[in-house]
Amino acid sequence: MTEKAKYSFKCLGKECETQACHLREQITVTLGDISRWTAGGQLQHIIDKLIVFPDREENNLLAIAVLKKPLKENPEKSACFFYDEETKSCGILYSKPISCRTYPLAYNGSKYFVSDKNCPGVGKGEVTKEALKAAKELAEQEHTERLFTRHVLPGFYSVIMNTVAIQNQMAMSNLSEEDRAKLEELMKKAAPEPPVPETPHTETGQEGSENGTSQPSSNVNDE
Ligand code: SF4
């Protein structure tokens, strides 16, 4: 006989009133996600909806997240770019980032916790001990991948930016004086304001935390 765990969760899907998972402040992506999307052939459909940004909640360490878009029903709120407001569903359901697959369970290196008190699926349904074990393992994997991404991303980003700068310099050096002057003039006029990554906000009521998405809102370490 399968034993039930204390923590329980059942996604309410279209019946969910909050859709909090889609509206959470930051839909974190890991290098593991990118690796899986590459292997599965989905990366080309997802990559242009990802941003690298300095996470202010994590000492400006670089992180990757899915872009957000304003809700049609309430433009003051924003949701994951892949959220389909009409059908109240995820547009990349079978390729979701690991942070979405583990939601609302999270792990911070020492504790498992419910990351979002606005998810009404928490406490619903039944979770067997086996299912909870699997959910915890996935939360641990997400934590490991997130830390690895934060360690590797800054160096990787620097290499890419440096490569772009070198290529630009080489292209410039091949131009005549006159063309270079024209190009510099054009670039001055066309230079946009530096992009400001969307500031994660707290519609979901989550608080800042180790993972940059939430604080433990309820401990689920006791099975
Ligand atoms: S907030 Fe929770 S219950 Fe609602 S759709 Fe997302 S996972 Fe399901």
Side-chain angles (χ1 to χ4, degrees):
M1 192 176 126
T2 49
E3 281 187 80
K4 292 178 208 161
K6 273 187 190 169
Y7 166 78
S8 65
F9 165 70
K10 183 176 183 229
C11 178
L12 307 181
K14 294 178 182 34
E15 308 305 318
C16 173
E17 286 183 4
T18 68
Q19 297 293 319
C21 52
H22 306 293
L23 271 62
R24 66 193 201 268
E25 59 183 83
Q26 201 166 288
I27 316 287
T28 313
V29 167
T30 68
L31 291 175
D33 289 316
I34 291 179
S35 171
R36 286 183 286 274
W37 289 331
T38 302
Q42 302 106 346
L43 187 67
Q44 57 183 315
H45 306 298
I46 297 174
I47 191 99
D48 62 341
K49 307 300 181 298
L50 304 181
I51 50 167
V52 173
F53 68 100
D55 189 343
R56 271 176 269 177
E57 292 182 6
E58 288 292 330
N59 297 323
N60 286 327
L61 280 177
L62 292 178
I64 311 172
V66 179
L67 281 171
K68 295 183 81 181
K69 61 181 178 186
L71 286 176
K72 288 182 205 151
E73 277 188 3
N74 183 355
E76 287 184 4
K77 289 187 175 181
S78 60
C80 172
F81 190 91
F82 295 109
Y83 176 55
D84 186 329
E85 218 171 324
E86 313 299 323
T87 60
K88 292 190 173 177
S89 60
C90 172
I92 53 167
L93 191 59
Y94 299 105
S95 317
K96 288 198 290 190
I98 192 169
S99 68
C100 296
R101 285 190 281 132
T102 191
Y103 178 97
L105 189 67
Y107 180 66
N108 65 9
S110 58
K111 283 184 179 173
Y112 303 92
F113 58 95
V114 171
S115 64
D116 193 344
K117 61 190 176 198
N118 289 326
C119 170
V122 176
K124 303 283 190 316
E126 290 175 358
V127 174
T128 62
K129 291 230 170 192
E130 292 75 20
L132 180 60
K133 183 169 176 284
K136 283 181 167 180
E137 283 171 1
L138 190 64
E140 283 177 34
Q141 185 186 341
E142 190 275 338
H143 176 257
T144 303
E145 287 189 11
R146 186 161 26 84
L147 290 191
F148 177 74
T149 301
R150 288 196 175 143
H151 279 298
V152 170
L153 201 56
F156 195 52
Y157 189 75
S158 298
V159 171
I160 291 172
M161 295 312 286
N162 192 40
T163 305
V164 171
I166 289 169
Q167 285 173 341
N168 285 344
Q169 276 174 9
M170 287 167 67
M172 288 287 274
S173 67
N174 290 331
L175 293 176
S176 67
E177 283 295 323
E178 189 185 350
D179 285 345
R180 196 177 310 160
K182 278 185 196 166
L183 183 61
E184 281 172 355
E185 192 58 34
L186 277 173
M187 285 168 70
K188 263 189 226 159
K189 285 182 188 163
E193 291 293 315
V196 179
E198 180 166 349
T199 306
H201 43 243
T202 56
E203 295 135 358
T204 59
Q206 298 173 30
E207 297 161 29
S209 83
E210 182 275 341
N211 70 0
T213 57
S214 55
Q215 280 283 16
S217 59
S218 68
N219 195 324
V220 293
N221 294 286
D222 300 328
E223 294 180 13

